[in-house]
Short mmCIF file of all heavy atoms in Angstrom, two decimals:
data_model
loop_
_atom_site.label_atom_id
_atom_site.label_comp_id
_atom_site.label_asym_id
_atom_site.label_seq_id
_atom_site.Cartn_x
_atom_site.Cartn_y
_atom_site.Cartn_z
N ARG A 4 2.35 1.85 -3.39
CA ARG A 4 1.31 2.26 -4.33
C ARG A 4 1.00 3.74 -4.17
O ARG A 4 0.83 4.47 -5.16
CB ARG A 4 0.06 1.42 -4.10
CG ARG A 4 -1.07 1.71 -5.11
CD ARG A 4 -2.26 0.82 -4.85
NE ARG A 4 -1.89 -0.60 -4.95
CZ ARG A 4 -2.73 -1.59 -4.70
NH1 ARG A 4 -3.98 -1.33 -4.30
NH2 ARG A 4 -2.34 -2.84 -4.83
N PHE A 29 -9.79 22.43 -15.00
CA PHE A 29 -9.75 21.72 -13.72
C PHE A 29 -10.39 20.35 -13.82
O PHE A 29 -9.84 19.35 -13.34
CB PHE A 29 -10.47 22.57 -12.66
CG PHE A 29 -10.56 21.89 -11.32
CD1 PHE A 29 -9.45 21.82 -10.49
CD2 PHE A 29 -11.75 21.31 -10.90
CE1 PHE A 29 -9.53 21.20 -9.27
CE2 PHE A 29 -11.82 20.68 -9.67
CZ PHE A 29 -10.71 20.62 -8.84
N PRO A 46 -3.76 14.31 -26.27
CA PRO A 46 -3.86 15.05 -27.53
C PRO A 46 -4.12 16.53 -27.27
O PRO A 46 -4.64 16.91 -26.22
CB PRO A 46 -5.04 14.39 -28.24
CG PRO A 46 -5.18 13.04 -27.59
CD PRO A 46 -4.74 13.22 -26.18
N THR A 110 7.50 7.53 -58.77
CA THR A 110 8.11 8.86 -58.79
C THR A 110 7.93 9.58 -57.46
O THR A 110 8.87 10.22 -56.96
CB THR A 110 7.50 9.70 -59.92
OG1 THR A 110 7.62 9.01 -61.17
CG2 THR A 110 8.18 11.05 -60.03
N LEU A 129 6.16 15.64 -66.98
CA LEU A 129 5.58 16.50 -65.95
C LEU A 129 5.51 17.94 -66.42
O LEU A 129 6.45 18.47 -67.01
CB LEU A 129 6.40 16.42 -64.67
CG LEU A 129 6.49 15.05 -63.98
CD1 LEU A 129 7.34 15.14 -62.73
CD2 LEU A 129 5.10 14.52 -63.64
N GLY A 152 7.55 20.10 -40.00
CA GLY A 152 6.33 20.44 -39.26
C GLY A 152 6.65 21.15 -37.95
O GLY A 152 6.02 22.17 -37.61
N ILE A 156 6.00 25.10 -36.49
CA ILE A 156 5.49 25.42 -35.15
C ILE A 156 6.41 26.43 -34.46
O ILE A 156 5.96 27.37 -33.79
CB ILE A 156 5.35 24.13 -34.31
CG1 ILE A 156 4.30 23.20 -34.93
CG2 ILE A 156 4.97 24.46 -32.87
CD1 ILE A 156 4.16 21.88 -34.22
N GLU A 173 14.28 11.35 -32.91
CA GLU A 173 14.29 10.11 -33.67
C GLU A 173 14.54 10.37 -35.16
O GLU A 173 15.28 9.64 -35.82
CB GLU A 173 12.96 9.37 -33.49
CG GLU A 173 12.72 8.85 -32.09
CD GLU A 173 13.72 7.77 -31.70
OE1 GLU A 173 14.15 7.01 -32.59
OE2 GLU A 173 14.06 7.68 -30.51
N LEU A 191 17.27 24.30 -40.35
CA LEU A 191 16.42 25.07 -41.25
C LEU A 191 17.19 26.22 -41.89
O LEU A 191 17.09 26.47 -43.09
CB LEU A 191 15.21 25.60 -40.49
CG LEU A 191 14.23 24.54 -39.96
CD1 LEU A 191 13.16 25.21 -39.10
CD2 LEU A 191 13.58 23.77 -41.10
N ILE A 200 22.33 29.75 -52.05
CA ILE A 200 23.66 30.01 -52.63
C ILE A 200 23.88 29.12 -53.86
O ILE A 200 24.41 29.57 -54.89
CB ILE A 200 24.75 29.77 -51.57
CG1 ILE A 200 24.64 30.81 -50.45
CG2 ILE A 200 26.14 29.83 -52.21
CD1 ILE A 200 25.58 30.56 -49.29
N PRO A 207 24.20 31.36 -63.60
CA PRO A 207 24.99 31.75 -64.79
C PRO A 207 25.33 30.56 -65.69
O PRO A 207 25.48 30.74 -66.90
CB PRO A 207 26.26 32.36 -64.18
CG PRO A 207 25.88 32.74 -62.79
CD PRO A 207 24.89 31.71 -62.36
N SER A 244 24.74 15.08 -68.60
CA SER A 244 25.69 14.70 -69.66
C SER A 244 26.16 15.90 -70.48
O SER A 244 27.29 15.91 -70.99
CB SER A 244 25.06 13.65 -70.58
OG SER A 244 23.85 14.14 -71.15
N GLY A 263 25.33 18.36 -48.15
CA GLY A 263 24.13 17.67 -47.71
C GLY A 263 24.41 16.33 -47.07
O GLY A 263 23.65 15.88 -46.19
N PHE A 279 40.00 21.01 -35.56
CA PHE A 279 39.76 19.57 -35.63
C PHE A 279 39.92 18.90 -34.27
O PHE A 279 39.14 18.02 -33.91
CB PHE A 279 40.71 18.94 -36.65
CG PHE A 279 40.43 17.49 -36.91
CD1 PHE A 279 39.46 17.10 -37.82
CD2 PHE A 279 41.14 16.51 -36.23
CE1 PHE A 279 39.19 15.76 -38.04
CE2 PHE A 279 40.89 15.16 -36.46
CZ PHE A 279 39.92 14.79 -37.36
N VAL A 294 36.54 12.16 -46.33
CA VAL A 294 37.74 12.44 -47.12
C VAL A 294 38.33 11.15 -47.67
O VAL A 294 38.73 11.07 -48.85
CB VAL A 294 38.78 13.20 -46.26
CG1 VAL A 294 40.10 13.34 -47.01
CG2 VAL A 294 38.25 14.57 -45.87
N LEU A 311 37.57 8.51 -68.12
CA LEU A 311 37.20 9.46 -67.07
C LEU A 311 38.39 10.32 -66.70
O LEU A 311 39.48 9.80 -66.41
CB LEU A 311 36.69 8.73 -65.82
CG LEU A 311 35.28 8.14 -65.85
CD1 LEU A 311 34.93 7.54 -64.50
CD2 LEU A 311 34.23 9.17 -66.24
N PHE A 336 29.67 1.42 -68.58
CA PHE A 336 30.78 1.31 -67.63
C PHE A 336 31.19 -0.15 -67.46
O PHE A 336 30.40 -1.07 -67.67
CB PHE A 336 30.39 1.92 -66.28
CG PHE A 336 30.56 3.41 -66.21
CD1 PHE A 336 30.27 4.21 -67.29
CD2 PHE A 336 31.02 4.01 -65.06
CE1 PHE A 336 30.41 5.59 -67.24
CE2 PHE A 336 31.18 5.38 -64.98
CZ PHE A 336 30.89 6.17 -66.09
N CYS A 369 32.38 -0.73 -37.53
CA CYS A 369 32.52 -2.17 -37.83
C CYS A 369 33.97 -2.52 -38.16
O CYS A 369 34.50 -3.51 -37.63
CB CYS A 369 31.60 -2.54 -39.00
SG CYS A 369 29.84 -2.52 -38.61
N PRO A 382 38.25 -1.11 -29.08
CA PRO A 382 38.30 -0.19 -30.23
C PRO A 382 38.42 1.26 -29.76
O PRO A 382 37.48 1.82 -29.20
CB PRO A 382 36.97 -0.45 -30.95
CG PRO A 382 36.07 -1.04 -29.91
CD PRO A 382 36.96 -1.79 -28.97
N ASP A 421 16.07 -11.22 -67.84
CA ASP A 421 16.89 -10.78 -68.97
C ASP A 421 17.96 -9.77 -68.56
O ASP A 421 18.88 -9.50 -69.34
CB ASP A 421 16.01 -10.16 -70.07
CG ASP A 421 15.05 -11.18 -70.67
OD1 ASP A 421 15.39 -12.38 -70.65
OD2 ASP A 421 13.98 -10.78 -71.14
N SER A 482 11.45 -8.70 -16.61
CA SER A 482 12.70 -8.89 -15.89
C SER A 482 13.57 -9.89 -16.64
O SER A 482 13.12 -10.96 -17.02
CB SER A 482 12.42 -9.39 -14.47
OG SER A 482 11.69 -10.60 -14.53
#
Side-chain angles (χ1 to χ4, degrees):
R4 184 179 301 176
F29 176 76
T110 305
L129 298 180
I156 296 176
E173 293 295 328
L191 295 174
I200 294 174
S244 57
F279 186 84
V294 173
L311 284 184
F336 276 38
C369 289
D421 296 333
S482 58

